[in-house]
Amino acid sequence: MSFVFGFFRPGDHDCSSAVEDIATGLYEICAQRVLKTAQHAGLNLNESDYRLDAQDLPGSACWTPELGATLELVRDAGPFVESALAQLALCNAKFGKNQSVSLKISPSLGLLFAGFPLPRAETLQIESDQSQVKIVVGEQHYRFLRRGSRLELMDCPTVLRRYVGELDIVVTGGNCLDMAFCAAEDIALPADLFSDAVDNVGAAFDLVSQVAPEYTSWTRQLIRQIHVLGERLGSLSQLGGRSAQKRPGQIVTTAPRHLSLQAETLIHESSHQHFYMLQLLSPVAKNTGEEQFFTSPLNGMKREITRYLLAYHVVANMMAFHKRSLETGKGDREIIEGRLTYLRPIAREYITNLTANSDLLTEQGNAFWLPSRSAVLEICEGV
């Protein structure tokens, strides 16, 4: 069970091989489910036209919002079977499949491709090979050129979309926000600030690596897309990032903002991604833990034990990162000390309640968090 702790935070227990296996396994399960549902609905198709062989899958890069959108569609099945099949075909195009696909889709749904929500329409055509991907959805035409593992959107100057430095992480803004992430308080980022926002995110990734090299892979291996929003008014707890379990690899963050806070957001949302992946590996709670609820000290909301553990996970990683910031002297000391002052009592409360209710967690769930307890309590004491 020691490798389970590798999903809690980076360190001696490397979970990279498990990450590869879970990501590719998720694709296999998703493709199988879509094809089985399509065949049950009476669609006549050749399976090999709609799935990639294991040796052609991109490993951990299978952890992608396109795959999450596919699973979301196939769960609803019914009238969305062809849309689920279309979203799977878009995944395959992103992963490099040579294909020519033409499908009817539900005009009430939006599909995703390479960080870009496609317009709603009744038809979808995909032409993809090793050099480019061409998509026609309704009357709209899109062309993406392959540059290594990147897909560059051509001839759409109004779309806010750019990769982070040399990383295969795309940043989007404006109308590229996936509807799964929309919130009433969101403020769209002005187009003239988009370049600064991308640079801000890139600098935050660099700061993470400078402060805590062990978090370099942690923050990069499971994030595929970052959507940047404008700064909102309100307390710090109302700002920052957002993740959704149904959109693996995709996060939302306020930008541009102070580097120490942006780096904290990357740690926070990367922690969520690792927790979501762990949940695919094994349950962390007995009987889902839904029979008992706890008030989260982070946001005051009622949470069952799984969500409570998820929240403790991000707090512990943020504190570990800020501790390293103080040790290295990198980042804004005043901001970092302020964040630690805020987080310490929160962490203590999480630990107290998780310890008292560890019987609600599975063996894997306790193996996930218990090894962190003493280290986090030391940080709580300012050690």
Side-chain angles (χ1 to χ4, degrees):
M1 294 300 301
S2 62
F3 82 97
V4 170
F5 184 59
F7 287 88
F8 188 88
R9 76 178 184 205
D12 296 334
H13 305 291
D14 184 17
C15 65
S16 57
S17 60
V19 165
E20 296 279 329
D21 290 343
I22 296 170
T24 54
L26 182 63
Y27 173 88
E28 295 285 3
I29 291 170
C30 179
Q32 182 179 7
R33 188 177 299 176
V34 170
L35 293 170
K36 183 178 181 180
T37 304
Q39 290 165 353
H40 183 73
L43 299 182
N44 186 18
L45 51 87
N46 185 342
E47 283 198 19
S48 63
D49 291 338
Y50 288 95
R51 69 187 310 164
L52 286 165
D53 293 331
Q55 66 269 18
D56 296 322
L57 293 173
S60 62
C62 289
W63 187 257
T64 183
E66 287 86 352
L67 196 56
T70 305
L71 281 170
E72 187 180 19
L73 288 170
V74 78
R75 285 193 189 103
D76 293 329
F80 303 143
V81 174
E82 287 187 312
S83 293
L85 196 61
Q87 186 62 68
L88 178 61
L90 288 167
C91 281
N92 293 337
K94 184 179 181 182
F95 296 160
K97 185 176 178 62
N98 294 330
Q99 62 181 346
S100 178
V101 176
S102 181
L103 287 167
K104 291 183 179 180
I105 55 176
S106 171
S108 64
L109 300 170
L111 302 178
L112 303 178
F113 183 73
F116 182 64
L118 299 174
R120 300 182 181 193
E122 295 182 346
T123 58
L124 174 73
Q125 298 175 33
I126 307 169
E127 299 283 342
S128 65
D129 55 33
Q130 298 304 304
S131 63
Q132 64 181 343
V133 179
K134 294 181 179 180
I135 296 173
V136 181
V137 54
E139 301 298 319
Q140 298 296 315
H141 294 245
Y142 301 95
R143 183 166 66 102
F144 294 81
L145 291 184
R146 295 192 193 277
R147 304 189 193 279
S149 56
R150 294 184 173 194
L151 283 160
E152 298 286 0
L153 177 61
M154 311 303 293
D155 307 319
C156 287
T158 60
V159 173
L160 301 182
R161 182 182 184 277
R162 204 180 94 193
Y163 282 89
V164 180
E166 300 301 315
L167 304 180
D168 286 335
I169 299 172
V170 70
V171 178
T172 57
N175 62 1
C176 288
L177 180 58
D178 185 346
M179 292 299 292
F181 285 92
C182 289
E185 66 271 21
D186 287 343
I187 296 177
L189 183 76
D192 60 350
L193 289 180
F194 181 66
S195 181
D196 289 341
V198 178
D199 292 342
N200 177 245
V201 169
F205 274 109
D206 291 341
L207 180 61
V208 168
S209 296
Q210 294 165 15
V211 168
E214 66 272 23
Y215 277 100
T216 300
S217 176
W218 180 262
T219 53
R220 300 180 185 192
Q221 68 178 349
L222 292 181
I223 293 181
R224 303 282 167 258
Q225 178 189 357
I226 302 173
H227 186 86
V228 288
L229 291 171
E231 191 79 34
R232 298 199 302 263
L233 298 177
S235 68
L236 188 59
S237 63
Q238 295 175 303
L239 306 175
R242 190 185 307 156
S243 292
Q245 193 164 12
K246 61 185 176 182
R247 289 293 184 269
Q250 186 176 359
I251 70 171
V252 173
T253 185
T254 302
R257 62 203 301 248
H258 194 283
L259 279 183
S260 291
L261 296 178
Q262 195 66 273
E264 179 191 272
T265 296
L266 295 179
I267 299 294
H268 182 141
E269 302 307 329
S270 298
S271 298
H272 279 329
Q273 298 300 317
H274 284 83
F275 188 88
Y276 296 153
M277 180 169 274
L278 174 70
Q279 287 184 289
L280 296 177
L281 180 66
S282 63
V284 298
K286 299 174 182 176
N287 300 320
T288 71
E290 293 179 356
E291 68 283 353
Q292 188 168 350
F293 290 84
F294 306 87
T295 301
S296 171
L298 194 60
N299 55 23
M301 298 181 69
K302 295 288 186 181
R303 300 296 193 197
E304 44 81 24
I305 195 70
T306 299
R307 296 274 297 180
Y308 199 80
L309 181 59
L310 174 146
Y312 167 68
H313 182 214
V314 301
V315 168
N317 275 289
M318 290 189 298
M319 291 177 68
F321 175 73
H322 286 316
K323 179 176 182 289
R324 295 279 283 128
S325 295
L326 293 179
E327 291 170 349
T328 59
K330 297 182 184 298
D332 189 299
R333 189 175 187 89
E334 182 177 354
I335 288 177
I336 294 163
E337 289 181 339
R339 292 299 289 157
L340 283 171
T341 298
Y342 168 71
L343 292 169
R344 282 179 178 124
I346 290 173
R348 289 192 195 98
E349 185 170 339
Y350 278 126
I351 289 174
T352 297
N353 285 325
L354 286 170
T355 301
N357 294 279
S358 61
D359 60 311
L360 296 178
L361 298 173
T362 62
E363 180 184 358
Q364 295 91 334
N366 281 311
F368 173 66
W369 83 276
L370 276 172
S372 74
R373 183 167 56 183
S374 61
V376 175
L377 286 174
E378 286 182 0
I379 301 174
C380 288
E381 299 303 320
V383 179

